Amino acid sequence: MTNSNLYAALRAAFPDDLDRVAVETDGGLTYTWRDLERASAMMANLLTSLALPPESRIAVQVEKSVEAMVLYLATLRAGHVFLPLNTAYQAAEIEYFIGNAEPAVVVCTPANFGWVSKLAFKAGTQNVFTLADDVSGTLLDRAAAHSDVQTPVERGVDDLAAILYTSGTTGRSKGAMLTHGNLLSNAQVLKTYWGWRTPEQGGDVLIHALPVFHVHGLFVAIHAALINGSSMLWLNRFDPKAVIAWLPRATVFMGVPTLYTRMLAEPSLNRQVCQHMRLFISGSAPLLLETFRTWQQRTGHTILERYGMSETIMLTSNPCLPDARHVDAQGMPQSERRGGTVGFPLPGVGLRVADEHGVPVEAGDIGGIQVKGPNVFRGYWRMPEKTAEEFTSDGWFKTGDVGLVDVQGYVTIVGRSKDLIISGGYNVYPAEIEGYINEMTGVAESAVIGVPHPDFGEVGVALVIAKSGASLDGAAILTSLKARLANFKIPKACEVVSELPRNTMGKVQKNLLRDTYRHTFKS
Ligand code: MLC
Ligand code: AMP
């Protein structure tokens, strides 16, 4: 039997010369391919020494660092399940994730050790380590005592590799279970589709500026670099000036639209600094046509937009060659990268658009996007009913995105059937925020809507009705939310109103509210 452990496939792509630099950080650190191999072996051996049952969850809430990536690789090697958590999550959010996932190991920042370890021990976790973003912490201290040689544990394609929590439109967050096969198949498809150049072909160099606790930074970016033996220029925090300064040494950049708008605000972004670049990739949120065009004019590059989600990794992508003047190896003209679209379904990914009865619609007609393929997740962690609800009877996953496929096959996303705000590439579920607001003293009801925002693309605005006789203050509501929820979930404005528009069924008409408040942050 061949070992389908994802790490084995990534490792097989490392360059022959392991002493070459694999990662260089903006903090001045360099890591060779040998460093990645040895450090992840030591951490994997530490995990193995804990004698955990197979597929134990390793929950990780740490600041971005190369060591955090190494911990991910070590978890794969040891055959356990990586469970990354956004550093913005606060105690109530973390308590839920730990209680739901029952991790065998929790890794947190030294600063959070006090409260995180208390929650973890209460939930039955026996091992809590710390990891800081300055190459320190008990995880590294303990790993240092272990051998730097390790053979990746045998895993099959259907074995779990990671759980990513994604909030539900109703109820609590759901853990999307991704397998070694899901992750590897997607990485292999993107390797070819995006034309990654092997080290022998001159190699690609990726600027890694995204967080490493979501699909984009953790899977798409890291897998792409490792499975191509490509080196990374690594920033622990996105900084537009630092990215621009690195462009002349790089060939590929991946970002959410906010990163592109922030870079466009820098006068130092011009054609010359982008000359060496091969590919600018955008995803996780809609890229405005205005950004797409302005980027083209300023840099001479056409951003490649793609579409994916936690449950499926990458689904569609615009073509690798930027315009129709290019021909393929058979001399056939290529399709161009088309702004406002997310391109074509990736090879192996089935994508169809269905009406409200689940019947596939004609090309050009709008409906719900459904997908199928080796990239589609195994289900939601311990939620078989939720899993069943999200799949059609013939096995298609309902993405909750609304869109169309045109006659040429381009996919366009026009909206979402799920009540979701995507802010700077992070998902915010209004139902969760409304739940917190509704519990506050004096609140009768609330509605949270997404409105356009020049920096984050979309942000939340809360509209709150007071109970009769109560007096409420929007700013105080936001302050109270800040103490309890991750900062990116906090609405950017809160208004106390006397009523909310409703339809005949009594349901709040959020579309009308979105219309009323659409100019709150944009003229
Ligand atoms: C920070 N803030 C946000 C926010 N990020 N508010 C709304 N949305 C966000 N995304 C808050 C801060 O807490 C702060 O509030 C205020 O906004 C200003 O913060 P900032 O200093 O400007 O933010 P910064 O730290 O620079 O972060 C912005 C960012 C970050 C864009 C760099 O949000 C980011 O890295 N986004 C990428 C998300 C991502 O990787 N998504 C991929 C998901 S995977 P205060 O009150 O504290 O001042 C996926 C699948 C797929 O979707 O297809 O890829
Ligand atoms: P997440 O659950 O965080 O993985 O977010 C996935 C969601 O992000 C998708 O269901 C889409 O709604 C959205 N998304 C990802 N990429 C794009 C894109 N290029 N354009 C529009 N929406 C996107």
Side-chain angles (χ1 to χ4, degrees):
M1 181 186 130
T2 52
N3 187 2
S4 297
N5 188 312
L6 171 63
Y7 182 78
L10 299 176
R11 172 65 185 84
F14 284 15
D16 293 338
D17 179 3
L18 290 178
D19 291 320
R20 280 167 51 177
V21 171
V23 188
E24 182 181 332
T25 74
D26 56 340
L29 298 175
T30 53
Y31 299 77
T32 63
W33 293 93
R34 192 184 306 283
D35 292 334
L36 299 186
E37 162 69 10
R38 290 181 54 221
S40 59
M42 288 157 88
M43 266 190 220
N45 285 328
L46 164 63
L47 293 176
T48 302
S49 75
L50 303 173
L52 310 172
E55 297 202 342
S56 286
R57 277 75 60 210
I58 314 296
V60 179
Q61 192 201 24
V62 298
E63 299 295 343
K64 182 179 175 183
S65 68
V66 175
E67 286 67 30
M69 171 179 76
V70 168
L71 174 57
Y72 165 56
L73 299 178
T75 305
L76 295 174
R77 290 181 80 149
H80 295 306
V81 181
F82 195 66
L83 197 168
L85 294 165
N86 194 319
T87 41
Y89 292 143
Q90 302 211 39
E93 292 155 310
I94 295 294
E95 184 171 21
Y96 170 74
F97 295 127
I98 290 182
N100 188 255
E102 297 184 320
V105 175
V106 169
V107 184
C108 63
T109 63
N112 290 349
F113 180 78
W115 65 268
V116 174
S117 61
K118 208 183 268 178
L119 292 176
F121 293 138
K122 198 174 110 196
T125 302
Q126 302 213 334
N127 306 280
V128 182
F129 298 111
T130 62
L131 179 63
D133 59 0
D134 63 354
V135 202
S136 69
T138 57
L139 180 77
L140 299 178
D141 297 343
R142 289 283 300 276
H146 289 268
S147 160
D148 62 2
V149 178
Q150 191 262 3
T151 304
V153 168
E154 291 278 338
R155 297 276 82 191
V157 282
D158 293 328
D159 287 328
L160 267 194
I163 295 180
L164 295 194
Y165 273 88
T166 117
S167 298
T169 37
T170 54
R172 305 307 299 257
S173 294
K174 303 167 285 185
M177 299 189 288
L178 292 159
T179 64
H180 286 263
N182 293 148
L183 298 172
L184 181 57
S185 66
N186 213 240
Q188 283 167 333
V189 164
L190 294 176
K191 175 184 171 81
T192 312
Y193 204 79
W194 289 345
W196 284 80
R197 298 182 309 213
T198 60
E200 295 71 42
Q201 293 164 322
D204 273 306
V205 178
L206 172 76
I207 297 181
H208 195 305
L210 287 162
V212 288
F213 32 68
H214 292 298
V215 164
H216 202 159
L218 181 63
F219 299 146
V220 188
I222 289 177
H223 293 168
L226 297 185
I227 207 161
N228 291 290
S230 297
S231 60
M232 285 185 261
L233 298 171
W234 180 281
L235 289 102
N236 282 355
R237 265 162 223 86
F238 170 72
D239 170 5
K241 289 190 176 62
V243 171
I244 293 168
W246 258 343
L247 290 176
R249 291 182 52 202
T251 60
V252 183
F253 174 75
M254 293 184 193
V256 301
T258 300
L259 305 201
Y260 285 98
T261 46
R262 289 189 180 185
M263 283 161 71
L264 279 169
E266 294 295 328
S268 57
L269 181 77
N270 57 36
R271 282 178 185 247
Q272 208 187 340
V273 288
C274 295
Q275 247 175 15
H276 191 240
M277 288 294 292
R278 184 173 75 79
L279 214 46
F280 286 98
I281 300 171
S282 175
S284 310
L287 180 76
L288 293 182
L289 255 181
E290 184 193 330
T291 313
F292 176 86
R293 290 190 182 131
T294 314
W295 190 271
Q296 236 168 5
Q297 285 153 9
R298 275 280 283 287
T299 70
H301 282 268
T302 307
I303 297 175
L304 177 157
E305 185 170 7
R306 86 324 175 261
Y307 156 58
M309 59 193 301
S310 301
E311 288 92 334
T312 64
I313 335 165
M314 293 302 98
L315 290 166
T316 73
S317 171
N318 268 283
C320 184
L321 295 172
D323 62 52
R325 286 170 306 175
H326 290 88
V327 291
D328 69 10
Q330 281 76 43
M332 294 296 288
Q334 293 295 285
S335 309
E336 79 264 20
R337 283 182 210 151
R338 202 170 283 180
T341 83
V342 291
F344 305 101
L346 287 165
V349 174
L351 185 146
R352 69 182 193 188
V353 176
D355 65 16
E356 65 272 32
H357 309 293
V359 179
V361 300
E362 300 283 313
D365 287 349
I366 291 172
I369 297 178
Q370 303 181 347
V371 296
K372 217 177 203 179
N375 54 312
V376 176
F377 74 136
R378 204 171 86 177
Y380 294 112
W381 171 254
R382 292 181 179 164
M383 289 186 185
E385 330 71 47
K386 290 261 180 240
T387 305
E389 273 171 30
E390 302 303 331
F391 282 87
T392 65
S393 54
D394 54 349
W396 292 75
F397 174 63
K398 299 184 257 181
T399 62
D401 293 307
V402 174
L404 60 91
V405 182
D406 71 15
V407 283
Q408 289 167 304
Y410 283 92
V411 179
T412 301
I413 297 172
V414 300
R416 301 169 207 127
S417 57
K418 47 194 177 192
D419 189 11
L420 159 71
I421 299 167
I422 304 187
S423 191
Y426 286 141
N427 290 4
V428 181
Y429 283 84
E432 184 185 11
I433 320 301
E434 290 159 6
Y436 275 88
I437 298 177
N438 294 347
E439 278 174 13
M440 292 180 193
T441 315
V443 171
E445 200 190 352
S446 65
V448 173
I449 52 161
V451 300
H453 188 270
D455 184 27
F456 293 120
E458 197 181 14
V459 294
V461 168
L463 304 159
V464 185
I465 300 182
K467 277 187 180 150
S468 117
S471 113
L472 291 175
D473 170 34
I477 291 174
L478 294 183
T479 306
S480 166
L481 281 179
K482 263 189 193 172
R484 305 175 68 193
L485 282 171
N487 55 19
F488 64 87
K489 295 182 187 171
I490 310 301
K492 299 280 186 239
C494 177
E495 219 173 275
V496 179
V497 295
S498 54
E499 60 176 349
L500 295 168
R502 293 176 186 282
N503 63 15
T504 46
M505 311 287 287
K507 203 169 171 247
V508 174
Q509 289 176 298
K510 289 199 168 177
N511 52 335
L512 296 185
L513 288 173
R514 279 191 285 268
D515 211 35
T516 308
Y517 289 90
R518 71 181 191 281
H519 293 305
T520 308
F521 301 99
K522 256 187 165 173
S523 50

